[in-house]
Amino acid sequence: MLDEKRRPDPGTLGALPIFPLPNVVLLPGMMLPLNVFEPRYLSMVDHILSTSPYLGVPLMRPGEDPAAAFSARAPIFDTFGVGEVVAHQALPDGRRLIRVEGIGRAVMRAELPLHEGFRRTVVELLDEPAPSEQH
């Protein structure tokens, strides 16, 4: 269930940066460590640190052309995890280590033009059911 104190504001949800990954699903409550080194994603980290700490982590669609997997517009699933960058470390070689905590799920409503090489989407947060004690 999304903690309302951590809900991204409407402006963030209207241009949420995304970090598509193969074989990774960000779930609420999950910690995801990332080693960021591609220029477009270094720009994204700078953007997130200077604006809003949230990003989406969509799963890349399997079975696509392997050459397209890491292209600027790799095919992704429309429903994905939203996370908050809770830790950041800049390394001497220019890489960034970030830790993202999953806070909820969202569905993509539209994709915006690239911004400094990284993707942004218009998303709607999905309601998460409260945990149940039933077995």
Side-chain angles (χ1 to χ4, degrees):
M1 190 165 171
L2 179 65
D3 179 350
E4 288 302 316
K5 292 178 271 187
R6 295 177 77 185
R7 177 181 287 275
D9 64 64
T12 298
L13 297 175
L16 185 71
I18 61 171
F19 195 138
L21 293 169
N23 305 316
V24 174
V25 175
L26 179 65
L27 301 172
M30 177 181 160
M31 285 291 188
L32 177 63
L34 295 170
N35 176 12
V36 182
F37 55 88
E38 283 187 60
R40 61 183 161 170
Y41 295 122
L42 292 170
S43 293
M44 184 186 75
V45 170
D46 289 340
H47 174 81
I48 289 168
L49 293 174
S50 68
T51 58
S52 176
Y54 301 102
L55 74 154
V57 182
L59 177 64
M60 290 180 181
R61 287 189 176 276
E64 298 289 335
D65 175 10
F70 292 98
S71 71
R73 294 286 185 183
I76 58 173
F77 286 98
D78 291 343
T79 301
F80 51 82
V82 174
E84 179 180 3
V85 175
V86 295
H88 166 261
Q89 180 181 4
L91 300 177
D93 63 4
R95 292 179 298 130
R96 309 289 182 77
L97 300 179
I98 63 173
R99 190 169 54 227
V100 179
E101 182 178 0
I103 62 162
R105 295 179 314 127
V107 62
M108 180 173 63
R109 298 298 183 202
E111 187 157 351
L112 302 171
L114 293 177
H115 177 76
E116 297 179 15
F118 64 88
R119 296 167 77 174
R120 296 172 306 143
T121 59
V122 177
V123 300
E124 179 181 334
L125 288 176
L126 297 173
D127 290 328
E128 299 289 344
S132 172
E133 294 295 324
Q134 296 178 344
H135 299 279

